[in-house]
Amino acid sequence: FEAWKSMLVNPTCEAQFRRMLQIGMISELYDPQVFPTPESQRSKYQVTDERTGKLIQLPHPVKALRVWDAKSLTYKPIETQLTGAPGPDKAAQWWADFVKEELNAKHGEEYIANLMAGR
């Protein structure tokens, strides 16, 4: 969670910053090597750095994980919430506070609002 948060507090590419703001808070596990994004959704989670031309992979969280339990012949859920991330009941308020108190304060309210609106 702290790695994701750091990408927003200290962005290196405006396109990445814009898209991450539009995606919103990521509180679930993500890893592009272990859990690759399906081809049909890749364009939503990739941006090109304007300075370098490099393709940047954006965090794309898993919806859920499970493991087969051969003894009970059922799937068992695996916890996917990132350490330090707020739970689902607090996520919306955390995101609103984070944007207002940290991102707007550091980057400017108008700039953040424009990026979130896709401008």
Side-chain angles (χ1 to χ4, degrees):
F1 183 71
E2 290 302 318
W4 166 83
K5 188 175 164 184
S6 178
M7 286 189 274
L8 284 166
V9 173
N10 302 301
T12 58
C13 167
E14 189 173 84
Q16 176 185 19
F17 191 35
R18 178 184 309 108
R19 189 71 63 84
M20 288 182 69
L21 286 169
Q22 292 168 348
I23 291 170
M25 190 185 80
I26 302 287
S27 61
E28 304 299 317
L29 181 66
Y30 63 90
D31 186 315
Q33 273 64 52
V34 178
F35 308 109
T37 299
E39 186 67 43
S40 63
Q41 296 181 7
R42 278 205 188 126
S43 64
K44 296 179 189 176
Y45 297 95
Q46 293 178 332
V47 294
T48 302
D49 186 325
E50 317 79 18
R51 294 176 297 119
T52 65
K54 180 182 172 189
L55 191 63
I56 298 173
Q57 303 295 324
L58 301 174
H60 182 194
V62 298
K63 176 78 172 157
L65 290 177
R66 62 188 184 168
V67 64
W68 180 252
D69 182 337
K71 187 175 183 177
S72 65
L73 300 176
T74 61
Y75 283 105
K76 302 287 183 181
I78 296 174
E79 178 61 48
T80 60
Q81 184 170 332
L82 296 171
T83 302
D89 57 327
K90 294 182 169 70
Q93 187 61 53
W94 184 94
W95 177 246
D97 292 344
F98 177 70
V99 169
K100 180 180 178 183
E101 297 168 10
E102 292 196 44
L103 299 180
N104 286 349
K106 182 171 184 175
H107 304 288
E109 186 176 348
E110 184 178 350
Y111 178 63
I112 295 298
N114 284 335
L115 289 177
M116 290 178 87
R119 294 178 275 202

